[in-house]
Amino acid sequence: MSAASRAPLRSTRTNRTADRTADYASGRVPARVRSRAALAVGAAAAALLVSACSSGGTSGGGGQAGFITGSDGIATAKEGERADVPDLSGETVDGGQVDVADYRGKVVVLNVWGSWCPPCRAEAKNFEKVYQDVKDQGVQFVGINTRDTSTGPARAFEKDYGVTYPSLYDPSGKLLLRFEKGTLNPQAVPSTLIVDREGKVAARTLQALSEEKLRKMLAPYLADESDQSADSAKSEK
């Protein structure tokens, strides 16, 4: 085939590409294409949660820097080496609205969970008990419910385990994908993160927590509040 006879074919392919670009720009994208795009987002979230619903696990190394993981599976980052918590806002399981940024100045405990996850059920009452004990100490708990295809099972979970703090509804894991790679990001269900009073992620664990272990993880950040109160009292004298 001569070069001249091949030229129209290249022109046709160029025109088809231009047509597809125009379709995307105008919103005339076939439903099957939009469906594939949605599946791609879901697949990315699933890849993030590759260790989903495990009862334990640690993270560290692999190019991740700025934090260390202890033998107890709790990873911590020093002040000055902590990443900002991303935008975590939206509708809650019970139909309300939550924006984690509104809790700036408080210690925030983020717990990633799903009603379908046995380790999440094992730790739920521990979280509620500790929350009731520390909520008056400048601490806010926030759940992130993921991979529940409707809010019904999630609401039933909260009722069964007496959970009173709010949980963002994140069925596809979009909120979880906002955490920067290489930082203390959630990589399993359940995952628990501590956000310090400056809005930075200070600690993380990728395992279900006993009441004792949750208190241990939270204690250093409560101590920070006690130190600040003592300093404030001294300055007033």
Side-chain angles (χ1 to χ4, degrees), residues 1 78 80 140 165 206 208 213 229:
M1 183 181 292
K78 296 179 181 179
Q140 177 64 49
Y165 52 85
L206 306 177
K213 205 161 190 177
S229 298

Side-chain angles (χ1 to χ4, degrees), residues 98-135:
V98 159
D99 186 344
V100 169
D102 291 341
Y103 300 124
R104 184 73 175 266
K106 290 188 174 185
V107 174
V108 179
V109 179
L110 295 174
N111 178 240
V112 180
W113 63 278
S115 68
W116 44 269
C117 170
C120 301
R121 295 194 288 270
E123 70 176 4
K125 289 186 177 180
N126 302 330
F127 274 73
E128 179 61 25
K129 188 174 190 309
V130 175
Y131 171 61
Q132 292 299 329
D133 288 346
V134 302
K135 65 181 182 179

Side-chain angles (χ1 to χ4, degrees), residues 13-215:
R13 285 196 295 270
T14 301
N15 290 337
R16 287 174 181 172
T17 301
D19 290 342
R20 284 197 296 269
T21 302
D23 285 342
Y24 273 100
S26 64
R28 299 191 306 271
V29 182
R32 65 180 182 276
V33 176
R34 293 196 300 270
S35 177
R36 287 174 191 156
L39 288 173
V41 172
L48 172 68
L49 301 176
V50 66
S51 302
C53 207
S54 62
S55 59
T58 60
S59 178
Q64 298 184 358
F67 62 90
I68 58 172
T69 303
S71 59
D72 57 2
I74 297 174
T76 57
K78 296 179 181 179
E79 287 189 56
E81 299 180 353
R82 298 170 183 172
D84 291 329
V85 70
D87 171 29
L88 300 175
S89 60
E91 187 173 352
T92 60
V93 164
D94 61 3
Q97 292 286 323
V98 159
D99 186 344
V100 169
D102 291 341
Y103 300 124
R104 184 73 175 266
K106 290 188 174 185
V107 174
V108 179
V109 179
L110 295 174
N111 178 240
V112 180
W113 63 278
S115 68
W116 44 269
C117 170
C120 301
R121 295 194 288 270
E123 70 176 4
K125 289 186 177 180
N126 302 330
F127 274 73
E128 179 61 25
K129 188 174 190 309
V130 175
Y131 171 61
Q132 292 299 329
D133 288 346
V134 302
K135 65 181 182 179
D136 294 329
Q137 300 177 45
V139 180
Q140 177 64 49
F141 280 37
V142 177
I144 302 177
N145 170 258
T146 190
R147 293 174 59 189
D148 272 312
T149 56
S150 70
T151 58
R155 289 197 304 270
F157 178 101
E158 291 186 332
K159 181 179 179 180
D160 289 345
Y161 294 100
V163 177
T164 61
Y165 52 85
S167 284
L168 288 160
Y169 181 53
D170 186 30
S172 65
K174 289 181 180 179
L175 295 179
L176 304 180
L177 289 172
R178 293 179 181 176
F179 285 84
E180 185 180 350
K181 292 182 179 179
T183 65
L184 291 174
N185 54 343
Q187 296 177 355
V189 182
S191 290
T192 299
L193 290 78
I194 304 292
V195 180
D196 68 19
R197 299 180 193 279
E198 301 300 319
K200 297 181 181 296
V201 182
R204 178 199 65 189
T205 190
L206 306 177
Q207 58 188 318
L209 292 175
S210 65
E211 179 186 337
E212 179 183 7
K213 205 161 190 177
L214 176 56
R215 291 185 188 277

